Amino acid sequence: MVDVTIEILVSGIVQGIGYRPFVYNLAKELDLKGSVQNLGDAGVKIIVQGLKEILDKFIELLKENKPKLCIYESFQVNWETTSSLFESFEIAKSSSETKGIGFSYLPPDVSICDECLQELDSKERRRTDYPFNSCVDCGPRYTVIEKIPYDRPNTVMTDFPFCSECNKDYKNSDDRRFHAQTTCCIDCGPKYTVYSSSNEEISFSSQKDLVRFIAKEIEDGKIVAIKGIGGTHLACSTLDDEVLIKLREAKGKRKYKPFAIMARNVEDIKKFANLNSEEETLLTSFRKPIILLQRNEDYYLSEWVAPGLHNVGVMLPYAGIHYMLLKEMHEPTVVMTSANPSNYPMFIDNEEIKERLDYVDYFLLHNRRIYQRNDDSVLRINKLGERDSTKFLRRSRGWVPEPLLSSIDVGASTYLAIGAEMHLIPSLMKGSKIIPTQHIGTVTLLETYDYMLDSIEHILKLYNTKIDAIAYDMHPQYLTSTNIEEIAAKFDVEEYFAFQHHEAHIASVALENKINPEEEVIGLALDGTGYGRDGTIWGGEIFTGSVSNLTRAGHLEQYALPGGDLAVKYPIRTLTSLLSHTYSLDEVTTIVKPMTKYLPRGMDELELIIKQIDRGDFPKGFLTTSSGRFLDAVSSVLEICQEQTYEGEPAIRLEGLSLSESSNNNLPKLSIPYSNKNGIYKLEVSKIFPDLINLRSKYTKAALGYATQQALGRSLAEITIELSNDKGIDNILISGGVSLNSIIIGEIVNKLTLNQKKIFTNEKVSPGDGGISVGQIYMLALQQSK
């Protein structure tokens, strides 16, 4: 019988997941000869020789038994009859060759696997209590790779040459570290070191003793900076009010912003939070994100973990150091919040960590470089009708650099979308794939701007491509917009196009759900801020049309934001403006006067606000239709939150308090009227405030809050149904940060479902500004395809 040689070219997630060891062992098992090789485009080439029927079996098993993280985007087999070429099967040296047979990408950072965890507790000297234990199935990927192919010399692990034992593991085809690039042990790998607040190194005989010391100090009320996989956390007790307040004061802008916590296991989480099956599945997945969970009746953590909120952000350990720390602690939870100040890139350099965090008691730092920062992902589960819907607040570690699939293919072109300004996540489009970067943050500082450029440069290098055109937000004052010429020049791009913020929100939903780009839709874009086509600030928008040709069909009534950003910080200002729509200015003064204690300059400040409203000479940028600012005003009139100390706080606390009334059948009957003038709907949100004020003595804040949010959702749904019936459009797309509000979205979905409408939302990217770039790039691709 004649041997046959085949060449198999595969793309997808085929590097960094143990694919070559899998192919090697399968070939050896079937007694086949040939080679397997990583390529420079993140694909893999397999050349294998044997009898045809055995090769057929080989191909079948490659598809059926692939590693758990493997995804095939393409699987191309070329057959030929040949004379003997190979004497054995080998893993060939990686090549810079690119075959261009499909789209390949690296896996995200993967949480430590169960087998590596078991080794932490074993008696095997080299990896017992070793925080960096990993294998072919787990460990950092995106944060350590400098370039592809994914080989050790192309990662930060090149700084740690193998010891003789690790070299044996790496070359042993029966070992799960066979060709695992992050393989290391206590003898040759990175290590943790403890420093005091005065930068003195504290010596320990082992990594276990070091962690035991840190665990005790945390439980004794100390704050510790812990360098991890993609950045640095600040750790402290979840039970100690004093240390939590100290940490908030030290971080400056964290007066009430919630801290994420890490729990030892699922059983410990259930002692303070409700956990459904979908939430548990996400928490225990290899991605290990932060999940926002509802507090339960037995919640016992300090109120200073998440002040004034109904939920708490929880994650499980995802690195060896986390497991070791919680194992040594008596407390089953620990605060794990980002160490960097708001809007500043995560700290990854040891010297910068020690210099910038001068309020920390101890530093637990390792000596492995973090090549790419990567913040923890944050999600919540909302009810969407009868089903659970996954909502990203932040898409980063555990997902990056996984792509989204577009219904259109841009061929050989490559596009970049920058995003807006807040919660920035740029995206790259190549072929039919869209690759969001990691979470960058709010780009108002040059350091964050530089971090954005670095992340874009890195992802371009990983995919060995050059940008043909750029999409960005049309807001004239965003740093990402004012610097668009500089960005284009840096990446040698001649064409760049501005897109409207809320239209991009709707486009992101269309992309995710593969809505026909020619089909007409109704889009609800609900958020806090976005530059409108008329130069005012939009945020409560209803659109109709195809994704590339959306027309504004409705919005909240326009109102002023006295003081601009000051009205965002102090929602009484927005409340005063909205009250002036239905009350005289003297009546407004009387209503607001008891609340002036919440304004920095009290009554004097209110008088200035009233004068400004009386003059009515607001610049366009101070006029808005924002649903987010409306909710802030409701939070203010109910005296739930009078100062925004973090983004969205008044509206978030309004929702949180109101959810306690979700089963109340005796809520006040509130409504928001709307009108239709010249085919444009307007929600007259100001008209709900007289009812709220009159009912404050009869109902709880929570009941009034729930009824108000329900009323907003109901009116939006009613307008949508009228538009749908009038225009014959059944596909309803909903996006924007306010669409995370479970009361509002719940009311919209329930009403639309009863009317047999098809509802689509974001589930693969954030409905907030973290998903804007996905919408921008989709609109750019549609524009360029015409």
Side-chain angles (χ1 to χ4, degrees), residues 133-286:
N133 199 20
S134 67
C135 68
V136 78
D137 291 326
C138 71
R141 298 292 189 271
Y142 185 74
T143 50
V144 299
I145 186 167
E146 298 182 17
K147 60 181 179 179
I148 52 177
Y150 178 67
D151 290 312
R152 193 178 183 95
N154 294 339
T155 74
V156 300
M157 292 304 293
T158 192
D159 299 340
F160 302 96
F162 286 136
C163 65
S164 59
E165 292 300 312
C166 281
N167 194 42
K168 289 178 185 176
D169 296 340
Y170 183 82
K171 293 179 177 178
N172 181 359
S173 62
D174 295 325
D175 196 293
R176 74 177 196 284
R177 294 185 174 85
F178 182 44
H179 278 260
Q181 308 306 327
T182 55
T183 295
C184 58
C185 73
I186 191 65
D187 294 333
C188 63
K191 296 181 182 67
Y192 272 99
T193 303
V194 173
Y195 299 90
S196 69
S197 57
S198 57
N199 197 20
E200 294 178 357
E201 183 177 335
I202 304 174
S203 298
F204 296 92
S205 59
S206 68
Q207 296 282 281
K208 182 176 182 177
D209 289 344
L210 167 152
V211 173
R212 182 178 291 143
F213 171 82
I214 289 297
K216 181 180 183 302
E217 292 301 311
I218 288 173
E219 291 185 314
D220 286 345
K222 299 298 194 298
I223 299 171
V224 180
I226 303 177
K227 185 179 175 184
I229 288 177
T232 303
H233 287 119
L234 293 177
C236 72
S237 170
T238 59
L239 307 178
D240 188 333
D241 288 353
E242 187 177 337
V243 71
L244 286 162
I245 293 170
K246 177 185 174 184
L247 179 56
R248 291 190 175 282
E249 291 172 347
K251 288 208 73 177
K253 293 183 179 180
R254 292 300 290 259
K255 187 175 181 180
Y256 297 118
K257 189 172 183 179
F259 291 143
I261 67 171
M262 185 174 281
R264 184 181 291 133
N265 52 46
V266 166
E267 288 67 35
D268 286 319
I269 293 173
K270 291 178 179 177
K271 293 175 183 176
F272 61 83
N274 296 323
L275 188 64
N276 65 30
S277 58
E278 181 67 21
E279 290 163 340
E280 185 170 342
T281 298
L282 275 169
L283 273 171
T284 56
S285 70
F286 73 85

Side-chain angles (χ1 to χ4, degrees), residues 195 227 348-355 363 365-368:
Y195 299 90
K227 185 179 175 184
I348 58 174
D349 176 76
N350 287 2
E351 292 308 311
E352 182 184 30
I353 293 168
K354 290 185 282 187
E355 182 181 326
F363 301 90
L365 308 179
H366 62 71
N367 58 340
R368 183 174 68 193

